[in-house]
Amino acid sequence: MGPTVSKLLVVLAAAAAAGVLIGLYVSKLTTDAGSPSYTLPVRSVAGHPVVDLTVETVAAVGPSLSPGHPDWVSYLVRDTQGKWRRSTVWRLPANATVHMTIYNFDGASGLRNPLYARPQGVDGNIMIVDGKPLKVMPPDDASHTFAVAQYGLVVPIAPVPDAAKNPCDYAPCALTSAHRTIQFTFHTGAKGHYRWQCLVPCAAGWLYGFGGPMQTIGYMDGFLDVV
Amino acid sequence: MSTVTATEPNHAKRVIVAWVVLSAIATPLVALFAGPAFPPGNASAQGAQQVSDNTWMVAVLTPIICLLVVFFAYALTQFRHTGGELVDGPPLRNDNRIQVLWLVASAVVVLFFAGFGTYELLQNGSGGGQGPSPIAVPGGTKLPVQVIAQQWEFTYRYPTYGGLETSELFLPADTTIEFHVTSLDAIHSFWAFELGIKADANPGVDNVAFLETKGPRTFHIHCAELCGLWHGYMFSTGHIVPESQFTAWVKQQQQNFAPVAKYLPPYAKTYYPDPQRRAG
């Protein structure tokens, strides 16, 4: 084997190794590798699968849940023990009814596209905010959204007022802190891997407000693993 | 060192005969069977035009490719060293006739495609974005539809229906559509590949593209410009429906989105959203 061939093999091996590392990094970012999936308990109502999905939205995930990015805005899911988990990949049954409750502890950011101020893709195209039905909210007041494009689902999330007393600085946030409660119902369809995201540009300090936590699984977006 | 002195057969004649025979067989087959199967398909006038253009192109290119294939195959089989002493071949000589023929033939093919492509492009824009002042404008009445991209969804506005904005794209069949493509944040690209339409979505830019729909069908919409980590998930399904169904759909959407209508900005060719509190 000549020196030229040896050099070529070294270059090829280095390129292959770099490719594998890049692939693993991208996979970690784009799959649930960085956020273990959480299987939600399913109950049966007249033989129909029903899931109660409870999440909270926080302005800063905090050092205890995310030492690497304590200031990132985030969603958390509540498990059966009532603990808040940093997981945004949720396993749901197919063709199920999902009653979703979002406790929001964050303030307003504002929608870039006001269309998303209208709940869509949920039962009645209505959301319940602090117990009151709402068909639309002022776009500038939106704190976040929960959106699943493949379901045509968008729900804007009402904000905690700036002047609210007892705000929550870091997650996990207890319900004794100032918060808003948003409830709605949607239906999972066929089995599949459905991506969800926030459509409010709420990632402070990032280009267009859509970098960092907005593009990283485990914070402001994730998947519905419908099985 | 010795040279080849044996009498050589007429290689040029052999190659030309083989080339003519292969081209006479392959070119009609490619034009009649392969070309029409090329994407994007015949779901729109622009798509059908692209299929036709691609068919013309491969039909013209087939004899050229045949010549290369025949020449290489002939050279590999006939000019192969089969044993004995390795000797030089006969000296290569310049032949002005072949050079001129090659240059003229290449120029004719390239100029033909330049002229043909320009002519085709000017017919209806071939489904491409033409910027804010399009040159190739199809005749007749057009339905304006605005495509608004944002990370990572498309929405659509219908200015002739009171600025209605929806999350889904519905188009009437057998209608000329005038797309106005823009973005609210990063650079995206609106690509409905079965329809043969693709136009960049740039913030602050009104990119106009035309589409002449045919019969009812569904089609896929993808973002075709890397616009962030979730670019790959920026896709949806569009629908071409009969005129009556389109009208009914518009009414239903107007009712559905009535609560948010007062918050939508007036229809404009581009939008500069107010700075958001965190995003700037």
Side-chain angles (χ1 to χ4, degrees):
Chain A
M1 187 184 296
T4 308
V5 176
S6 299
K7 278 185 184 174
L8 186 64
L9 287 176
V10 169
V11 170
L12 285 174
V20 168
L21 289 174
I22 291 169
L24 288 173
Y25 180 69
V26 172
S27 297
K28 185 176 184 305
L29 289 178
T30 57
T31 67
D32 56 3
S35 175
S37 70
Y38 174 66
T39 303
L40 287 135
V42 183
R43 57 190 170 92
S44 180
V45 176
H48 180 77
V50 175
V51 175
D52 296 304
L53 172 58
T54 304
V55 301
E56 73 173 19
T57 319
V58 294
V61 66
S64 64
L65 289 168
S66 177
H69 303 289
D71 296 325
W72 278 15
V73 58
S74 187
Y75 271 87
L76 302 169
V77 64
R78 190 165 73 180
D79 66 17
T80 47
Q81 279 78 48
K83 286 187 175 177
W84 295 106
R85 287 170 173 248
R86 196 171 74 78
S87 168
T88 58
V89 181
W90 307 322
R91 185 163 292 180
L92 301 166
N95 303 308
T97 298
V98 180
H99 298 300
M100 189 161 183
T101 301
I102 299 174
Y103 297 115
N104 181 35
F105 296 85
D106 200 1
S109 283
L111 283 159
R112 183 163 280 141
N113 186 338
L115 182 73
Y116 300 132
R118 166 85 169 121
Q120 303 161 47
V122 297
D123 281 5
N125 287 342
I126 284 178
M127 57 184 178
I128 309 296
V129 178
D130 299 331
K132 294 177 183 170
L134 211 59
K135 288 182 176 179
V136 69
M137 63 179 293
D140 289 345
D141 287 354
S143 181
H144 302 285
T145 72
F146 176 75
V148 188
Q150 288 159 281
Y151 288 163
L153 188 159
V154 178
V155 175
I157 298 177
V160 173
D162 291 342
K165 293 175 182 173
N166 193 27
C168 176
D169 293 328
Y170 284 112
C173 297
L175 293 180
T176 49
S177 297
H179 68 278
R180 306 294 296 275
T181 305
I182 297 91
Q183 293 169 295
F184 53 91
T185 299
F186 69 95
H187 304 271
T188 61
K191 293 176 183 177
H193 201 53
Y194 301 91
R195 202 181 82 81
W196 68 264
Q197 70 170 92
C198 173
L199 285 163
V200 168
C202 59
W206 295 86
L207 185 64
Y208 300 117
F210 264 91
M214 299 296 285
Q215 303 200 21
T216 308
I217 294 289
Y219 296 91
M220 291 309 286
D221 56 7
F223 285 96
L224 304 182
D225 264 337
V226 178
V227 295
Chain B
M1 184 182 289
S2 61
T3 56
V4 175
T5 56
T7 305
E8 288 286 322
N10 190 334
H11 296 297
K13 190 175 176 183
R14 288 181 173 183
V15 168
I16 289 171
V17 168
W19 170 54
V20 169
V21 171
L22 183 63
S23 297
I25 296 169
T27 304
L29 289 176
V30 167
L32 292 173
F33 297 107
F38 283 166
N42 298 310
S44 69
Q46 282 70 15
Q49 186 191 37
Q50 290 168 30
V51 171
S52 167
D53 295 348
N54 289 336
T55 303
W56 268 95
M57 193 159 65
V58 293
V60 173
L61 293 180
T62 299
I64 299 171
I65 293 168
C66 286
L67 177 60
L68 295 174
V69 169
V70 166
F71 179 78
F72 281 119
Y74 189 86
L76 281 170
T77 55
Q78 296 301 310
F79 302 141
R80 198 174 190 82
H81 181 65
T82 53
E85 188 184 358
L86 188 62
V87 295
D88 285 345
L92 294 173
R93 288 180 292 107
N94 182 40
D95 189 324
N96 287 337
R97 291 171 303 171
I98 291 179
Q99 286 193 4
V100 169
L101 179 66
W102 185 252
L103 284 172
V104 169
S106 300
V108 167
V109 170
V110 170
L111 289 174
F112 168 74
F113 276 126
F116 179 70
T118 304
Y119 172 78
E120 289 288 275
L121 192 63
L122 290 174
Q123 295 303 298
N124 55 24
S126 291
Q130 302 185 51
S133 306
I135 297 171
V137 181
T141 309
K142 300 167 198 68
L143 174 70
V145 177
Q146 185 172 51
V147 179
I148 304 171
Q150 58 248 286
Q151 289 173 312
W152 289 273
E153 288 192 13
F154 289 107
T155 59
Y156 309 93
R157 288 196 86 170
Y158 298 80
T160 48
Y161 294 95
L164 168 72
E165 184 169 354
T166 68
S167 306
E168 286 184 290
L169 178 59
F170 272 65
L171 301 171
D174 302 312
T175 304
T176 301
I177 311 295
E178 182 178 307
F179 281 113
H180 293 264
V181 183
T182 190
S183 168
L184 299 182
D185 43 42
I187 297 173
H188 304 269
S189 184
F190 170 70
W191 184 31
F193 60 87
E194 288 112 329
L195 304 183
I197 186 161
K198 185 166 176 283
D200 282 352
N202 297 324
V205 175
D206 172 35
N207 195 9
V208 180
F210 296 96
L211 175 76
E212 293 159 84
T213 61
K214 292 187 174 180
R217 64 163 296 150
T218 58
F219 56 91
H220 294 92
I221 300 163
H222 280 259
C223 178
E225 187 71 50
L226 185 59
C227 57
L229 194 64
W230 297 111
H231 156 73
Y233 278 86
M234 194 170 167
F235 61 85
S236 59
T237 303
H239 307 267
I240 297 175
V241 296
E243 177 77 33
S244 57
Q245 194 177 332
F246 176 75
T247 307
W249 176 81
V250 166
K251 271 187 183 172
Q252 182 204 351
Q253 296 301 305
Q254 284 173 327
Q255 287 174 356
N256 182 30
F257 286 103
V260 78
K262 64 182 175 185
Y263 292 117
L264 297 181
Y267 177 79
K269 296 292 174 61
T270 60
Y271 302 94
Y272 293 95
D274 293 334
Q276 274 72 33
R277 297 180 199 195
R278 292 179 186 172

